[in-house]
């Protein structure tokens, strides 16, 4: 109770000090939540691409929907014959919003791809339906969680794919699909995807080709690329080299190259956001030190009296240290609540646009709490030591 009374003696000063901690923790929570979201995105990509070998056409052509050549299905079949390959799945991917600016979630545009439930058996990154079931037939689609939220679709609804842009040309063609499932949220790429059968994906791929060559190309035998999984214990980098050597016309990318790019991007972004938050926290810590030093100066007589009647060094030290910790805890708690509210409001406001910026994880919550308490304790050590070592006779004379 005495510590609480001490805080109420100089209300304005303590409010301003607590406000400094609040701002620091608010910065830590918001910037940290943004880093958590970005790192979840990259972590999912690293996990997925680290468990397989991505194979594309080696010609470097520009026929595919996103640039790059197309593979024939017989080359995908040839991949499965390479020693060390457990399975090879054809990949087709087209943009979900052709002719318009894609709404993105940290750089991943809405897309349409083929789905093969068998890939889940081999991939280290598992995806599951939160509602409904997998695609079993043509004309069906499973939507990622953000894709379903953006277009307000549930199992049993229909959706026209690709999405028609407001400025779409008169000859724009899309097709009606029945939503049979919605994926569980993954915090990464599958959230912005729409998954159809291979035949439907190839049909949509054909419609992305230039009109001049569209009818002369049989896309039922073509795909954008392939995802190759190795047998247990197989070195995937060496498998990529083996594929390049044994299968003509393809280019296999080593998983280590892709994973390294994901990890480096995450490290840079985390360093930037953490640095900005730490600057705010240091400012808050300095304000705590200043407040506690002033409190010691103002309460010299009180300290002298306490020591004169028998208060030990440990008693004085504990009192001032707990006061500093309480200031840090109050500021940290308020900053955490404000940060949680702010990030939740922004996520809710941007959910319909498929733009999720923040991820407030339990790890971040614990870090924010520990950091605010630790900041108060660290900032209170010097003033507390000064108070505890004060000579009672000099303190009474100085008063």
């Amino acid at each position: 109770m005495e510590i609480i009374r001490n805080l109420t003696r100089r209300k304005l000063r303590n409010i301003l000090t607590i406000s400094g901690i609040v701002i620091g923790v608010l910065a830590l929570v918001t910037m940290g939540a943004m880093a958590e979201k970005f790192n979840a995105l990259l972590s999912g990509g690293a996990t997925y691409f680290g468990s397989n070998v991505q194979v594309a056409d080696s010609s470097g052509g520009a026929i595919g929907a996103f640039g790059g050549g197309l593979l024939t299905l017989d080359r995908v079949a040839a991949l499965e014959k390479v020693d060390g390959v457990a399975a090879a799945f054809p990949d087709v991917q087209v943009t979900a919003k052709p002719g318009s600016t894609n709404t993105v979630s940290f750089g991943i545009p809405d897309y349409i791809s083929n789905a093969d439930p068998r890939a889940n058996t081999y991939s280290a990154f598992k995806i599951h339906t939160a509602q409904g079931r997998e695609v079993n037939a043509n004309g069906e689609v499973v939507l990622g969680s953000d894709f379903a939220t953006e277009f307000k679709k549930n199992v049993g609804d229909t959706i026209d794919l690709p999405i028609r842009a407001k400025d779409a040309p008169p000859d724009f063609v899309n097709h009606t699909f029945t939503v049979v499932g919605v994926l569980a949220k993954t915090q990464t790429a599958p959230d912005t995807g729409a998954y159809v059968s291979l035949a439907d994906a190839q049909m949509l791929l054909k419609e992305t080709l230039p009109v001049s060559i569209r009818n002369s190309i049989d896309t039922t035998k073509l795909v954008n690329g392939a995802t190759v999984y190795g047998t247990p214990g197989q070195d995937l980098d060496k498998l990529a080299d083996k594929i390049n050597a044994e299968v003509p016309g393809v280019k296999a990318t080593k998983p280590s190259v892709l994973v390294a790019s994901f990890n480096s991007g995450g490290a840079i972004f985390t360093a930037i956001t953490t640095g900005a938050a730490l600057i705010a926290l240091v400012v808050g810590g300095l304000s705590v030190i200043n407040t506690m030093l002033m409190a010691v100066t103002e309460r010299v007589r009180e300290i002298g009296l306490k020591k004169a009647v028998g208060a030990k060094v440990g008693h004085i030290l504990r009192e001032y240290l707990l006061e500093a910790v309480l200031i840090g805890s109050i500021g940290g708690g308020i900053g955490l609540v404000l940060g949680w509210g702010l990030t939740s409001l922004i996520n809710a406001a941007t959910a319909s646009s498929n733009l999720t910026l923040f991820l407030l994880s339990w790890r971040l919550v614990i870090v924010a709490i520990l950091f605010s308490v630790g900041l108060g304790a660290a900032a209170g050590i010097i003033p507390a030591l000064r108070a505890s070592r004060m000579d009672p006779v000099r303190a009474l004379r100085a008063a």
Side-chain angles (χ1 to χ4, degrees):
M1 291 299 296
E2 183 179 359
I3 294 174
I4 296 176
R5 284 197 300 269
N6 290 338
L7 291 181
T8 59
R9 289 180 180 179
R10 298 289 184 270
K11 295 184 179 65
L12 180 58
R13 182 198 303 160
N14 288 325
I15 288 173
L16 291 175
T17 301
I18 291 172
S19 298
I21 300 293
V22 169
I23 294 172
V25 174
L26 176 61
L28 175 65
V29 171
T30 53
M31 299 298 285
M34 188 178 292
E36 286 283 285
K37 173 61 181 179
F38 191 68
N39 284 330
L41 175 67
L42 295 182
S43 176
T47 300
Y48 174 76
F49 289 110
S51 65
N52 59 60
V53 177
Q54 292 294 305
V55 179
D57 175 68
S58 63
S59 66
I63 298 178
F66 294 107
L70 297 172
L71 285 180
T72 58
L73 286 176
D74 60 350
R75 284 184 181 171
V76 178
L79 294 172
E80 292 193 321
K81 297 178 181 179
V82 175
D83 184 39
V85 172
F89 296 98
D91 295 328
V92 177
Q93 184 167 304
V94 299
T95 179
K97 298 176 181 177
S100 67
T101 301
N102 279 290
T103 302
V104 300
S105 177
F106 272 113
I108 298 181
D110 293 335
Y111 63 91
I112 305 169
S113 182
N114 64 299
D116 193 325
R118 295 175 301 164
N120 241 13
T121 304
Y122 301 95
S123 178
F125 187 86
K126 308 295 183 182
I127 56 174
H128 305 282
T129 53
Q131 306 170 35
R133 58 173 175 81
E134 301 285 352
V135 171
N136 292 332
N138 295 338
E140 297 179 344
V141 63
V142 170
L143 301 179
S145 59
D146 290 347
F147 201 112
T149 299
E150 181 181 1
F151 296 103
K152 299 179 176 61
K153 297 298 180 180
N154 295 303
V155 174
D157 294 339
T158 59
I159 185 171
D160 293 332
L161 297 174
I163 305 300
R164 181 185 294 274
K166 293 181 179 179
D167 57 349
D171 60 348
F172 179 84
V173 178
N174 57 11
H175 305 269
T176 300
F177 291 84
T178 300
V179 179
V180 297
V182 176
L183 294 179
K185 196 170 185 64
T186 65
Q187 302 294 348
T188 186
D191 295 343
T192 61
Y195 299 90
V196 298
S197 67
L198 177 60
D200 283 339
Q202 290 172 320
M203 172 188 66
L204 297 176
L205 175 62
K206 183 172 184 176
E207 292 169 358
T208 67
L209 301 177
V211 176
S212 59
I213 63 172
R214 185 177 299 172
N215 294 326
S216 62
I217 295 179
D218 182 9
T219 55
T220 61
K221 298 179 181 178
L222 298 174
V223 293
N224 291 118
T227 299
V228 176
Y229 293 94
T231 54
Q234 181 68 42
D235 186 318
L236 295 181
D237 281 357
K238 292 181 179 178
L239 182 60
D241 290 335
K242 188 181 297 185
I243 289 172
N244 288 329
E246 296 182 13
V247 182
V250 303
K251 180 181 179 180
T253 302
K254 293 181 178 180
S256 61
V257 174
L258 296 174
V259 171
S261 65
F262 280 109
N263 291 339
S264 61
I268 293 172
F269 191 84
T270 299
I272 293 172
T273 54
T274 302
L278 287 178
I279 291 174
L281 285 171
V282 168
V283 173
L286 292 175
S287 68
V288 175
I289 294 175
N290 180 64
T291 295
M292 296 308 300
L293 285 173
M294 292 182 69
V296 171
T297 303
E298 292 172 351
R299 284 145 58 184
V300 168
R301 180 177 176 80
E302 177 186 327
I303 295 170
L305 285 172
K306 287 181 178 180
K307 298 196 76 172
V309 298
K312 304 296 184 183
V313 171
H315 297 151
I316 304 297
L317 181 64
R318 183 167 59 250
E319 177 185 340
Y320 281 85
L321 196 57
L322 286 176
E323 189 173 326
V325 168
L326 183 58
I327 290 175
S329 300
I330 294 173
I334 296 173
L336 179 59
V337 171
L338 290 177
W340 174 82
L342 180 63
T343 56
S344 298
L345 284 174
I346 294 175
N347 278 346
T350 57
S352 60
S353 301
N354 196 17
L355 185 62
T356 303
L357 295 175
F358 303 101
L359 174 61
L360 187 60
S361 64
W362 280 110
R363 176 176 62 179
L364 181 59
V365 170
I366 293 172
V367 167
I369 293 173
L370 292 178
F371 210 103
S372 60
V373 173
L375 181 65
I381 288 176
I382 294 176
L385 286 173
R386 180 180 177 184
S388 65
R389 293 173 178 174
M390 193 173 293
D391 182 82
V393 176
R394 291 184 179 180
L396 291 172
R397 287 178 179 174

